[in-house]
Amino acid sequence: MEPYRAAVTSDCEKLLSRFHETDSVRFQVFSKIWREMNFSQIFYGTVNHQKRAFSRLILDSAYSFFLPPFSFQIRVGGLYLLYSLHQSQTAAPPEQIRLALKDWEDVKKFEKDAMDAQHLDAIYILRQLMLKKAFHFTAMPTHLAFKKLRKKEVPALCEKFIERACRPQEFINNDLLEELSNIHELYGNLKSSVSETSKESSVNLIRQDLIPRLRRTVVDFHNWQHRKGDSEEEEGSGEGASSQQDCSRRAGLIASIKSKAYGEAPEARRSRRHRQVEVDITSSVAGTWKSPAYIRRKIASLRVRTNESLHVSDDMHKGVASASKITHLTSLGFAAEDTPNRLNGGKDRIRVPS
Amino acid sequence: MATSTDTKTNIPDYEYLDVNTNIFHIDAFRSEWLNRLQPSDFSFQEEDQETSDAHFAAEMGISAETMDELKSACSLDSLRCHPEDQPPDPEVVPPDPTLKTLVQRKKKQDHKATLKSSKNRHDLYADELERLTFGTRPEAVTDMIPEGEIILTMNIYYPATFEKFSHVRPHLTLLMTGSHTLAELRDAICCVSDLQVCGEFSNTPDMAPDFISKDHFKSSFFYFEGVFYNDMRYPECQDISITTIEWARDRNFPPYTQAKMEDTRFVDLKVKVGFPYLYCHQGDCEHLVIITDIRLTHKNDCLDKKLYPLLTHKHRVVTTKCAVCHIYIGRWLTTNDQFAPSNPCTFCEKCFRMLHYDTEGEKLGEFQAFPYVDRGAFN
């Protein structure tokens, strides 16, 4: 079942991103997209004994969209997706949705948010799932069997679905700024009243432009967020439209980024390559979502490499030439090591007569 | 072990992402869930749709028309992707799929069709064990599993063989309830080293005793989180964990404690989900034990107490066949055998007798013979 994981996730993301574009939380909108995409068919054609395993896989994938860090709208979509998948699965006995204890608070908070906003269909569907006993109340969202992977594939998080941080703007509003400027003024007056008697410069240390600066920073942050969001959206639309121009523009952009990246990376000498530090991302335990892990380039087997370097008759010369190049690889190193020696030698030769 | 009152520590979370959880007390975990849920949430009774809808309408303060509208908006019919009168065949991948999963599945099936068919009848019955007990209700009410009981999924791995590396981790999976003792788990684990008969019987093959190792050597222990749980049910049981404990004490390891297997229920344990623990029996037959899942019971589970511990998965081991007929599983193992093609060599009962004994039952030639139980004898 594991090979299907990537495809299943991308299908779910496709569905949810279409739902995201509508900016709606209505179930009718969701079911319309579901019908348009023929999403029920995702269960069709599974071999009998794999039906349960597939149901398990897709429910687990969908479950992650129902939880933070996704925005409320995506979580509603995730809930609808869970409901629809659970109800239309073909496995018998049906698989249940695994709800972990640590996620319960999030679910309750979600229900409350929906309640406050009077999203009746979201609450109704959550209740419907409860009523139909669609949940397993578990310790963990998946079965754990101490499967340690040498390199872990961390699923790339769909950035579009995540809510942008808006806490700074919420926190630093007009009221707060006014209050702050008041306090600031009072504080300044107090300081000046003290420093009248003693003309020490250290007491005068207050930032005059604190309030405007704070405001400017928040506005800058807000603008930056918008700019970032816009550029992302542009890229998204570029993917959708398949016009030649767009594609070539994108290709050019990618190529330039790549050439920059490779050009700048200092390549270690071959003899030293084994000592390069590999950043081991997998060992860090931090949050669930991390940047895409470092993926090791796959090295071809010895036979393949031998076949590549060995050529028949006509290519013989080339083969020999390329093989002998191995010595050239270290020539730079030799030169570097040689130079100081020769210099030293020169000095010695000079010194000897004196 | 007293129930920990610290609520924070008994909510399982990852210790290492996707590998195992932190340590928590199982009974405290259960009460954490029960505190959060309404009794109806984990009840085995299905609530009536009508009353629930009425409840919902009353709670939200909406009229009957709005409720009807809502119901029709959220109905499952709105998810149907095909005309009502022509249901598609869910057994085949639909033609011209757009979903990536279906594209991949179609590719895989097309590829499989080109291969020589290797029909494996075992695959057909892969989760039959689980399916058979789906929603089973007991005959007697007293055998009913109470609502809100804990169900643990245990993986018991076969002893490791390091002859070659393989990605397959052969194991059997058992479902246990929280009120089971560790001794009940011990009895449910089926391992061939419990069934072997010790001794050489080439002179008197008919005299081979029926006593298996399990009857002779009853000692065993589980190890969970710093505690050795010994089996002390029978007078001949020994404390075989003391060797390890003393060894560790002499070398300044953190102290280990002991408890009795038969007195310890699962709900009393403090464990990490997904973390490997140990079951050791017959002196040195060591199995890894991993608790892969802990959850509340569900109305679809097997609810008959008598059927637990419930076996849901068993690995199929390749069996060693008789060297003569290649049909039956080996029952005798011979060494230094002048009739055998290899040393050691396995024979089934019939071929062994025909090859090694004359019509009077007299032994022919020189060899040693040992009764043998194959690892895959109970597939």
Side-chain angles (χ1 to χ4, degrees):
Chain A
M1 275 299 107
E2 213 45 40
Y4 287 114
R5 189 174 289 275
V8 163
T9 316
S10 92
D11 281 339
C12 291
E13 269 173 15
K14 184 88 187 298
L15 177 73
L16 285 178
S17 68
R18 284 184 62 176
F19 184 63
H20 183 66
E21 277 159 24
T22 62
D23 262 332
S24 161
V25 289
R26 295 281 81 86
F27 186 72
Q28 280 138 312
V29 177
F30 176 86
S31 58
K32 185 162 167 283
I33 301 171
W34 171 284
R35 280 197 306 272
E36 278 169 15
M37 287 182 75
N38 280 332
F39 218 79
S40 298
Q41 293 182 351
I42 205 160
F43 291 106
Y44 292 178
T46 329
V47 193
N48 248 332
H49 62 270
Q50 288 181 347
K51 275 183 178 162
R52 298 201 74 198
F54 182 73
S55 287
R56 179 77 275 137
L57 171 80
I58 195 163
L59 285 176
D60 285 348
S61 309
Y63 177 70
S64 64
F65 293 107
F66 179 43
L67 296 174
F70 293 114
S71 66
F72 181 76
Q73 200 222 343
I74 290 300
R75 291 181 64 189
V76 173
L79 173 70
Y80 294 161
L81 185 60
L82 279 177
Y83 173 71
S84 314
L85 289 172
H86 181 263
Q87 295 300 323
S88 52
Q89 62 178 315
T90 52
E95 283 286 332
Q96 314 299 339
I97 303 159
R98 293 175 58 88
L99 183 60
L101 181 58
K102 67 185 169 72
D103 301 329
W104 179 253
E105 295 306 317
D106 291 327
V107 174
K108 276 285 128 185
K109 190 157 177 306
F110 172 84
E111 195 183 4
K112 196 175 162 294
D113 287 349
M115 198 85 97
D116 291 345
Q118 284 288 307
H119 293 311
L120 289 178
D121 40 4
I123 312 167
Y124 180 73
I125 279 176
L126 186 61
R127 295 284 167 85
Q128 220 36 54
L129 282 176
M130 278 295 197
L131 180 75
K132 294 192 170 167
K133 307 271 188 293
F135 290 111
H136 267 162
F137 301 109
T138 61
M140 276 294 152
T142 50
H143 278 254
L144 298 175
F146 208 68
K147 275 216 174 94
K148 281 199 162 178
L149 301 176
R150 201 177 297 165
K151 66 170 186 222
K152 188 167 256 156
E153 278 165 29
V154 182
L157 195 59
C158 197
E159 293 251 356
K160 234 187 341 176
F161 295 171
I162 302 173
E163 221 167 348
R164 289 203 195 111
C166 55
R167 280 299 155 92
Q169 293 98 306
E170 268 175 26
F171 180 61
I172 301 171
N173 50 15
N174 281 338
D175 290 348
L176 183 111
L177 285 178
E178 209 170 293
E179 187 74 25
L180 205 63
S181 71
N182 268 341
I183 293 172
H184 194 70
E185 203 178 314
L186 281 176
Y187 184 62
N189 289 344
L190 198 69
K191 278 245 165 157
S192 58
S193 72
V194 170
S195 59
E196 258 177 339
T197 47
S198 60
K199 291 272 178 226
E200 277 181 46
S201 59
S202 64
V203 194
N204 275 327
L205 278 177
I206 40 168
R207 240 180 235 288
Q208 291 301 337
D209 59 341
L210 176 70
I211 316 299
R213 261 180 69 166
L214 189 60
R215 194 177 161 277
R216 217 181 316 131
T217 319
V218 174
V219 170
D220 278 353
F221 174 68
H222 186 70
N223 287 344
W224 169 78
Q225 261 191 344
H226 265 256
R227 248 180 294 131
K228 206 177 149 209
D230 287 348
S231 67
E232 254 169 32
E233 271 159 35
E234 256 173 43
E235 227 167 82
S237 68
E239 267 174 6
S242 60
S243 75
Q244 195 91 43
Q245 253 187 336
D246 260 5
C247 285
S248 63
R249 193 174 56 82
R250 258 176 73 82
L253 193 69
I254 290 169
S256 78
I257 291 168
K258 266 190 186 168
S259 69
K260 235 188 241 173
Y262 289 133
E264 277 172 21
E267 214 164 89
R269 271 194 288 144
R270 180 160 284 188
S271 56
R272 291 268 164 181
R273 266 183 208 164
H274 66 282
R275 309 186 66 161
Q276 269 179 304
V277 182
E278 283 175 17
V279 184
D280 189 8
I281 297 170
T282 49
S283 65
S284 66
V285 198
T288 326
W289 301 100
K290 289 173 287 184
S291 59
Y294 167 80
I295 295 165
R296 229 161 80 183
R297 228 181 324 143
K298 201 179 171 194
I299 299 167
S301 71
L302 182 63
R303 191 158 78 183
V304 173
R305 277 183 286 157
T306 317
N307 280 344
E308 272 174 6
S309 61
L310 280 183
H311 298 274
V312 207
S313 60
D314 282 1
D315 290 335
M316 196 62 136
H317 290 292
K318 265 190 210 165
V320 169
S322 71
S324 66
K325 260 183 193 160
I326 286 170
T327 54
H328 285 263
L329 287 173
T330 53
S331 63
L332 191 71
F334 275 131
E337 279 164 35
D338 278 355
T339 355
N341 278 348
R342 220 178 292 152
L343 278 180
N344 255 346
K347 265 183 203 163
D348 284 349
R349 231 176 285 153
I350 295 167
R351 262 183 213 152
V352 168
S354 69
Chain B
M1 270 187 282
T3 309
S4 163
T5 48
D6 187 1
T7 51
K8 201 72 200 152
T9 54
N10 287 314
I11 297 178
D13 205 343
Y14 288 118
E15 184 178 44
Y16 293 101
L17 185 64
D18 290 340
V19 176
N20 68 286
T21 68
N22 52 5
I23 183 168
F24 63 95
H25 188 269
I26 296 179
D27 202 34
F29 158 77
R30 173 169 161 266
S31 43
E32 292 280 336
W33 257 130
L34 297 189
N35 287 340
R36 282 167 172 75
L37 296 172
Q38 302 293 326
S40 60
D41 292 340
F42 53 88
S43 150
F44 300 145
Q45 253 68 44
E46 192 131 8
E47 212 178 322
D48 186 31
Q49 180 77 47
E50 308 276 294
T51 51
S52 142
D53 285 348
H55 262 285
F56 184 76
E59 193 188 337
M60 294 290 135
I62 49 177
S63 62
E65 292 107 69
T66 329
M67 192 63 218
D68 285 341
E69 209 176 296
L70 182 66
K71 268 173 78 174
S72 69
C74 298
S75 75
L76 287 171
D77 292 337
S78 66
L79 294 172
R80 203 178 41 234
C81 303
H82 51 84
E84 201 167 349
D85 47 343
Q86 32 181 292
D89 181 10
E91 299 304 319
V92 291
V93 183
D96 311 321
T98 47
L99 295 170
K100 278 188 185 168
T101 314
L102 291 178
V103 174
Q104 192 180 346
R105 186 177 295 148
K106 193 159 184 70
K107 213 166 120 190
K108 208 166 197 171
Q109 285 185 357
D110 290 347
H111 173 67
K112 205 165 189 183
T114 62
L115 298 175
K116 272 185 197 163
S117 76
S118 56
K119 284 217 181 72
N120 191 340
R121 73 194 153 87
H122 293 282
D123 281 344
L124 297 176
Y125 306 115
D127 35 83
E128 207 69 338
L129 286 170
E130 210 164 342
R131 206 190 306 229
L132 278 176
T133 56
F134 166 74
T136 314
R137 300 295 155 112
E139 285 165 9
V141 188
T142 46
D143 289 334
M144 187 87 166
I145 286 183
E147 291 176 359
E149 175 65 287
I150 286 280
I151 287 191
L152 300 99
T153 312
M154 318 273 298
N155 277 5
I156 291 103
Y157 292 79
Y158 294 159
T161 46
F162 296 105
E163 285 153 22
K164 65 171 187 203
F165 179 80
S166 120
H167 284 283
V168 183
R169 298 276 171 272
H171 65 268
L172 53 101
T173 305
L174 290 168
L175 296 186
M176 310 284 298
T177 65
S179 53
H180 277 124
T181 64
L182 291 177
E184 281 163 298
L185 172 63
R186 185 243 191 281
D187 291 339
I189 296 173
C190 168
C191 171
V192 282
S193 65
D194 269 341
L195 306 174
Q196 303 294 348
V197 178
C198 302
E200 197 276 313
F201 299 102
S202 62
N203 293 318
T204 53
D206 295 325
M207 299 291 282
D210 288 332
F211 298 119
I212 53 174
S213 303
K214 199 177 187 174
D215 302 328
H216 277 296
F217 314 106
K218 292 179 173 168
S219 314
S220 65
F221 67 81
F222 282 101
Y223 172 79
F224 290 104
E225 289 300 326
V227 188
F228 288 92
Y229 298 92
N230 286 296
D231 188 354
M232 286 295 178
R233 283 175 294 179
Y234 309 101
E236 57 269 47
C237 287
Q238 293 172 9
D239 177 2
I240 55 172
S241 66
I242 197 71
T243 330
T244 319
I245 293 173
E246 278 175 355
W247 183 89
R249 193 191 300 136
D250 295 344
R251 283 161 184 78
N252 289 328
F253 275 90
Y256 294 115
T257 50
Q258 281 177 306
K260 281 184 185 170
M261 194 187 279
E262 59 272 25
D263 298 341
T264 314
R265 292 178 308 155
F266 278 103
V267 285
D268 303 327
L269 289 178
K270 271 184 159 181
V271 290
K272 295 174 180 176
V273 171
F275 198 75
Y277 297 109
L278 186 70
Y279 165 58
C280 175
H281 65 134
Q282 298 300 326
D284 64 349
C285 184
E286 296 174 339
H287 301 253
L288 283 188
V289 175
I290 297 183
I291 302 174
T292 56
D293 184 32
I294 302 181
R295 62 178 173 85
L296 295 187
T297 44
H298 184 267
K299 74 177 178 61
N300 285 357
D301 286 323
C302 167
L303 295 177
D304 191 346
K305 250 185 206 168
K306 278 189 287 188
L307 293 179
Y308 284 86
L310 186 66
L311 185 72
T312 56
H313 166 89
K314 198 165 187 301
H315 183 83
R316 274 182 288 118
V317 188
V318 177
T319 49
T320 323
K321 301 287 192 298
C322 163
V324 178
C325 63
H326 288 295
I327 295 172
Y328 297 109
I329 298 173
R331 290 298 313 276
W332 289 88
L333 186 135
T334 61
T335 53
N336 302 324
D337 187 352
Q338 62 189 63
F339 304 119
S342 66
N343 183 22
C345 188
T346 52
F347 297 96
C348 70
E349 189 73 44
K350 198 165 184 184
C351 298
F352 173 72
R353 297 298 175 101
M354 282 163 68
L355 188 65
H356 293 89
Y357 300 93
D358 62 18
T359 46
E360 267 76 59
E362 291 299 309
K363 182 178 172 182
L364 305 171
E366 279 304 308
F367 61 93
Q368 283 102 46
F370 307 89
Y372 174 74
V373 182
D374 189 74
R375 292 216 305 154
F378 295 97
N379 274 345

